[in-house]
Amino acid sequence: MMTLERFEDLAEAYGGEIARWPEGERETARALLAVNAARLAPVLSAAAQMDRLLDLAPAQSADAALLGRLVAAAPRAPDTARRWLAGLGAVLGLSAAAFAGIAVGVAVGRPEAAAPVVVAEQPVVTAVDTSSALQDAIAEPSEL
């Protein structure tokens, strides 16, 4: 449902003739106008008066000098060649660094694997403390 504020906004934007309004808004605007004619008729009247004033203004076309100034003041397109060359330089630099890393790695080579250390097998000895002090400390840790 259209509100009165929306009707006023449309009248201000599109003028006093509802036929000029967006197609999806026309029917609801006409229905709202039928219900609130006393409030909305002056809104349409003021918009129609503005339409008539705008219609009286002479249409002017831009002269060549104005068009030339507009074209001259327009922002320039970015220099894509310069950006492309900068990107190419970055790619080549990274490629050279990667190639240098590979070349150094190949030149140095992998270090020879050290001969495995053979540890003489010795029997494993496990020590077990059977003293009661250790057993009491485990049972009552707050006494430590």
Side-chain angles (χ1 to χ4, degrees):
M1 168 128 189
M2 182 179 293
T3 63
L4 297 175
E5 291 79 22
R6 176 73 177 148
F7 187 94
E8 291 171 356
D9 290 343
L10 289 170
E12 186 177 316
Y14 294 102
E17 280 186 47
I18 294 178
R20 292 183 182 175
W21 293 13
E23 191 173 331
E25 305 278 356
R26 294 177 192 161
E27 290 306 314
T28 54
R30 288 185 181 110
L32 187 62
L33 179 62
V35 173
N36 295 311
R39 167 106 196 286
L40 297 177
V43 171
L44 284 181
S45 175
Q49 184 178 4
M50 180 59 75
D51 290 343
R52 285 189 296 277
L53 288 173
L54 290 173
D55 289 341
L56 291 175
Q60 296 181 357
S61 61
D63 61 344
L66 175 62
L67 290 175
R69 288 194 312 265
L70 288 173
V71 169
R76 302 271 183 240
D79 187 9
T80 56
R82 184 175 296 154
R83 287 191 320 186
W84 190 83
L85 287 175
L88 180 63
V91 167
L92 290 176
L94 291 173
S95 298
F99 180 74
I102 292 171
V104 168
V106 169
V108 170
R110 277 182 36 182
E112 294 298 321
V117 177
V118 177
V119 178
E121 289 192 31
Q122 298 176 359
V124 177
V125 178
T126 304
V128 177
D129 185 5
T130 57
S131 69
S132 63
L134 179 61
Q135 303 249 342
D136 292 342
I138 293 172
E140 307 259 346
S142 62
E143 293 180 9
L144 289 176

